[in-house]
Amino acid sequence: MIAIIDYGSGNLRSISNAFRKIGADVQVTSSPEFLNESDALVLPGVGAFGSAMAKLENLRDPIIRNIDDGKPFLGICLGLQVLLSESQESPGVRGLDVIKGEVVRIPPGNKVPHMGWNQLVPRRDSPLLEGVEEEYFYFVHSYHAEPADDVVVATTEYGIEMTAAIEADNVYATQFHPEKSGEAGLDILRNFREIIRR
């Protein structure tokens, strides 16, 4: 059972439908108890860093505890960004701080938000990206993650090199939206399902 964390994000239905399309058993939930009972956690996200962290406050400890216990975790878009320590979007707001680093605004000279299809540039092997390492995926974001640790498994080019996917032990996350990225996106979700089974 995959728990999709419900904190009012706008893409809960699309991500749950995508998982169901590949035959995965999912439940959208805001229950800490259900997070503890699940086999894996998925944190989707659209919106602002600060408001997301405010809504996640009651789930912060259960999320971190489950990650620390080794449960597979997948963050998507804002769900990647809140894994980091802080964001320029919401000064003074602490992220989940699972991965050290900062989320910064896409620099001037690039159209913001970054919206559209971009190709992955693999940086190292990851089971999450198996078979789709150089495919195109759908991005929608105005900020991008700059992790302090060596966790980046793929980048993309948008005027600058930006983090596209990360892996840190049992934590996986993508800046792009697999649920909006066609068959390649479904392959990402299939890969995550296989990570859970292992």
Side-chain angles (χ1 to χ4, degrees):
M1 172 62 74
I2 299 171
I4 298 177
I5 300 168
D6 181 3
Y7 64 101
S9 169
N11 62 334
L12 292 169
R13 177 173 291 182
S14 57
I15 189 64
S16 58
N17 286 344
F19 269 111
R20 291 189 179 107
K21 187 170 183 177
I22 65 166
D25 193 8
V26 298
Q27 179 68 48
V28 176
T29 182
S30 58
S31 163
E33 293 76 17
F34 192 85
L35 299 188
N36 296 336
E37 294 167 4
S38 68
D39 298 306
L41 307 181
V42 174
L43 183 62
V46 291
F49 187 96
S51 60
M53 287 312 306
K55 294 173 184 175
L56 282 169
E57 189 56 41
N58 291 337
L59 294 173
R60 173 192 289 271
D61 289 344
I63 290 171
I64 293 173
R65 185 167 58 249
N66 277 280
I67 288 173
D68 288 345
D69 287 344
K71 188 171 289 185
F73 177 98
L74 176 63
I76 296 172
C77 196
L78 185 61
L80 179 155
Q81 295 181 6
V82 298
L83 287 169
L84 274 69
S85 310
E86 58 186 342
S87 174
Q88 290 180 354
E89 185 176 21
S90 305
V93 175
R94 184 168 64 103
L96 293 174
D97 205 24
V98 172
I99 294 169
K100 301 299 180 187
E102 184 182 17
V103 180
V104 301
R105 186 165 177 83
I106 294 173
N110 299 287
K111 186 177 179 181
V112 176
H114 170 210
M115 183 181 299
W117 296 81
N118 275 68
Q119 188 176 25
L120 293 192
V121 180
R123 295 302 173 201
R124 59 184 173 90
D125 290 343
S126 169
L128 187 68
L129 304 180
E130 189 171 335
V132 295
E133 291 89 347
E134 296 183 13
E135 293 283 353
Y136 284 78
F137 293 90
Y138 189 73
F139 290 77
V140 184
H141 62 118
S142 300
Y143 293 79
H144 65 102
E146 292 189 344
D149 301 324
D150 183 21
V151 298
V152 177
V153 294
T155 59
T156 195
E157 297 290 334
Y158 186 66
I160 58 168
E161 184 180 59
M162 296 188 298
T163 298
I166 62 173
E167 176 186 335
D169 298 322
N170 53 305
V171 175
Y172 303 84
T174 64
Q175 181 60 67
F176 56 84
H177 285 272
E179 77 281 9
K180 297 179 180 178
S181 297
E183 197 60 33
L186 293 179
D187 283 340
I188 293 279
L189 303 186
R190 291 185 184 102
N191 287 344
F192 185 64
R193 182 183 59 187
E194 290 306 309
I195 289 167
I196 299 166
R197 288 174 173 172
R198 292 174 197 157

